Amino acid sequence: MEHYGFEDDRAWVINLTRALQEDDFEDASDEELVSIVSIFQVPTALLSSKPEAHTPQVVALGPYHHRRLELLEMERYKLHSAKRVQKNLKKELKFHDLVDQIAKHDKVARACYHRHFNFSRERLAWLFAIDASFLLEYLRMYSTRSWEGSLTRVSFKMGHLIGHSQRKAMHQAILRDIIMLENQIPLFLVKEVHTFYQQEVQNKRYGPQC
């Protein structure tokens, strides 16, 4: 059995006291999602029986599997997605403006997850901005035809992920990872990224807005 000394107890009390004194809690009336956990971890019993069925194999989205070594290959494609989003932002906006906007929802975003993360506010905001950019770009390419009926143009650097029969397995693996329980991003953050697109880009890529 592990024993804790007086110093451990004192440090715990000090940290708890500081946390209670912080005046940065977001009012539930301002953010409907506050304190609503919607992205859970897979139960240990399920994970131990067949971990590959519940663990992303190609791409990590959100903080649960962030920076896992076997998933780092996809980080460069995420960065490319962020660059594409940056090119299509509304006039005079930069990608860091998007990150700053996401950082304003830090408390609410964290509250969506079942587990606590020791990521800084800045790091988590960048993580969400990059991952949401990748998700939006990938879902756009997943649609083989635009609303006008013409073929959707696929970025060369990301085009290898879809559209080629010999790479269909990779495409299916990414789609499988995207729907995994622990591999999620709060929907309101994805919408936040989408609102930063230029209106003409939204209409061109996603069709009429209902």
Side-chain angles (χ1 to χ4, degrees):
M1 180 180 295
E2 190 173 6
H3 296 280
Y4 296 93
F6 173 76
E7 291 300 326
D8 295 306
D9 291 340
R10 184 177 180 182
W12 180 79
V13 172
I14 291 174
N15 290 332
L16 186 61
T17 303
R18 288 174 178 172
L20 290 173
Q21 291 174 345
E22 291 178 357
D23 188 23
D24 59 352
F25 185 75
E26 297 182 41
D27 195 340
S29 62
D30 296 329
E31 298 286 359
E32 295 181 354
L33 291 176
V34 70
S35 298
I36 299 178
V37 178
S38 57
I39 304 175
F40 296 86
Q41 284 187 282
V42 176
T44 304
L46 289 177
L47 193 60
S48 60
S49 62
K50 195 175 182 181
E52 66 276 9
H54 307 285
T55 305
Q57 304 297 307
V58 179
V59 60
L61 296 174
Y64 276 130
H65 298 279
H66 178 60
R67 302 298 292 176
R68 265 183 49 205
L69 292 178
E70 59 270 34
L71 302 178
L72 290 182
E73 175 65 23
M74 287 300 296
E75 293 302 311
R76 56 183 175 136
Y77 297 107
K78 289 184 185 181
L79 181 59
H80 178 67
S81 296
K83 289 180 179 179
R84 285 176 58 84
V85 168
Q86 181 172 248
K87 289 180 180 179
N88 294 312
L89 292 179
K90 294 177 181 178
K91 188 175 181 180
E92 298 181 355
L93 288 177
K94 302 296 182 182
F95 197 83
H96 67 79
D97 295 318
L98 172 58
V99 175
D100 291 343
Q101 181 63 26
I102 290 177
K104 294 178 181 179
H105 303 291
D106 181 74
K107 292 285 186 180
V108 181
R110 291 176 188 269
C112 291
Y113 290 88
H114 183 248
R115 196 179 94 192
H116 173 72
F117 299 100
N118 291 319
F119 296 151
S120 67
R121 180 189 180 104
E122 182 182 27
R123 178 173 178 177
L124 198 60
W126 275 97
L127 184 160
F128 282 134
I130 297 293
D131 286 4
S133 297
F134 173 84
L135 182 60
L136 283 173
E137 287 293 301
Y138 189 80
L139 292 179
R140 178 185 67 83
M141 293 187 296
Y142 178 57
S143 177
T144 57
R145 291 182 177 275
S146 70
W147 64 279
E148 294 178 329
S150 59
L151 289 176
T152 301
R153 184 177 181 273
V154 177
S155 166
F156 174 76
K157 290 186 179 180
M158 295 182 70
H160 80 286
L161 298 177
I162 68 170
H164 302 285
S165 58
Q166 67 272 28
R167 292 169 180 149
K168 186 176 180 180
M170 172 65 76
H171 172 47
Q172 294 298 326
I174 293 175
L175 289 179
R176 178 175 172 273
D177 284 354
I178 285 175
I179 65 174
M180 283 191 170
L181 180 64
E182 295 183 349
N183 219 26
Q184 302 299 314
I185 302 170
L187 183 58
F188 79 93
L189 291 182
V190 178
K191 291 181 178 179
E192 191 79 58
V193 174
H194 186 257
T195 60
F196 271 64
Y197 274 86
Q198 298 180 53
Q199 185 62 41
E200 58 267 28
V201 174
Q202 292 186 28
N203 292 337
K204 180 179 178 181
R205 292 186 176 183
Y206 303 101
Q209 303 300 304
C210 298

